[in-house]
Amino acid sequence: MGASQSRPHEGQIIFRSETPVQFSSNVVEQLSERQASPTPTPERQATLDEHVRTRIQDEVKQLRKAEEDVQEEIRVALEKENLDREKAMVSDGQRDGAGSVKSSAVLMGDLEEIRSKIDRFQTRKSLANYPELRASQEALVSCYKSHPTSSLDCWMEVVNFKNSVAQLEKKDYFKTLQ
């Protein structure tokens, strides 16, 4: 009994209805308007736009992630290359002008040492050791503050300050020669 339905049918099966199918005029008009207009309806367009936006955002996220991965790979490769180069310099015995190989850590130590020397030099050169220069500087600053609109009134203090600096330079110059 059910065997005939289980067998696959060869060919195409067509069903015919004896009752005619009728559509209302509103449905026919709506379908013909949609077919005639090349643009989708506003609801359909909004759905399409949202779908496109979502896909674009997903692609942008994937591209950013890929870019971050590539940048990380480049950073790691450069670090490895620099370390390999330093190791090669040490093992090959390449020397700089002073005759020693310098690594980044040694260079940072040297830089800190130079900074400390500069700080010591600056403290030695402070105006505390030169009271006459400090006095003329303070007189000049106070004159400028008391005459903010007429700074030319402080010409005498400027001349005194210049003379103090010149005397100090001569004295230090002669100290360095001795």
Side-chain angles (χ1 to χ4, degrees):
M1 230 191 206
S4 67
Q5 292 177 355
S6 300
R7 276 188 277 142
H9 291 286
E10 295 177 17
Q12 197 176 35
I13 298 177
I14 299 174
F15 294 99
R16 297 185 190 215
S17 172
E18 294 179 11
T19 56
V21 179
Q22 294 182 359
F23 296 101
S24 70
S25 61
N26 289 340
V27 172
V28 172
E29 285 178 25
Q30 187 178 6
L31 290 174
S32 64
E33 286 175 9
R34 284 188 183 173
Q35 190 175 19
S37 108
T39 59
T41 63
E43 299 86 26
R44 174 86 175 131
Q45 186 64 43
T47 305
L48 289 172
D49 289 347
E50 185 60 34
H51 179 70
V52 168
R53 267 191 229 103
T54 304
R55 298 259 328 249
I56 288 173
Q57 288 174 351
D58 291 343
E59 285 294 318
V60 167
K61 286 178 186 176
Q62 289 177 356
L63 289 173
R64 284 186 180 148
K65 174 75 170 109
E67 180 184 15
E68 289 173 1
D69 292 345
V70 167
Q71 286 178 348
E72 181 64 21
E73 289 175 12
I74 289 171
R75 186 189 62 76
V76 167
L78 287 174
E79 283 180 2
K80 183 181 182 306
E81 182 180 327
N82 287 339
L83 287 174
D84 291 345
R85 188 179 304 139
E86 280 185 11
K87 288 177 184 175
M89 286 176 64
V90 169
S91 65
D92 291 345
Q94 292 179 353
R95 306 282 182 205
D96 64 0
S100 63
V101 176
K102 301 281 185 178
S103 68
S104 299
V106 173
L107 290 175
M108 287 301 291
D110 290 347
L111 184 61
E112 287 301 319
E113 182 181 337
I114 290 171
R115 283 184 182 156
S116 66
K117 287 180 181 179
I118 289 172
D119 290 341
R120 280 185 278 156
F121 178 77
Q122 292 297 337
T123 56
R124 270 190 273 146
K125 286 296 201 177
S126 71
L127 296 179
N129 298 336
Y130 308 104
E132 64 278 353
L133 182 63
R134 187 175 186 92
S136 65
Q137 177 190 19
E138 288 174 0
L140 179 62
V141 169
S142 66
C143 181
Y144 278 143
K145 286 182 181 178
S146 63
H147 300 93
T149 58
S150 56
S151 59
L152 292 177
D153 291 342
C154 300
W155 67 271
M156 184 60 108
E157 286 79 3
V158 171
V159 170
N160 290 340
F161 181 72
K162 283 183 178 180
N163 290 337
S164 297
V165 170
Q167 289 173 358
L168 183 64
E169 287 175 345
K170 285 180 185 176
K171 187 166 57 172
D172 280 347
Y173 176 73
F174 288 124
K175 279 184 184 178
T176 58
L177 290 178
Q178 295 174 353

